[in-house]
Amino acid sequence: MIKHILADGTELKSIEGRTIPPTGKTEAVYKLIAYFLAGQKPGTEAKTRTSQA
């Protein structure tokens, strides 16, 4: 089970529906997730994808 502890000490069983600000420690994690979802490696420029019919 994952334990979520907020800055004020509140413990949550789930963070579903909550917005976690991308600051401090969470910023790096959000960037890695964004790169993963975009299908690119960190540090590489985004390439425009075109489809061919």
Side-chain angles (χ1 to χ4, degrees):
M1 182 167 85
I2 298 173
K3 183 189 284 187
H4 304 281
I5 303 174
L6 304 181
D8 65 358
T10 304
E11 293 186 19
L12 302 172
K13 291 182 179 179
S14 172
I15 58 171
E16 186 175 336
R18 294 184 179 264
T19 302
I20 308 300
T23 58
K25 294 178 181 179
T26 61
E27 183 177 10
V29 174
Y30 274 118
K31 284 183 180 180
L32 288 173
I33 292 169
Y35 286 130
F36 175 77
L37 293 176
Q40 57 185 342
K41 295 179 182 177
T44 60
E45 295 298 321
K47 295 180 181 178
T48 303
R49 295 183 183 180
T50 57
S51 61
Q52 296 178 352

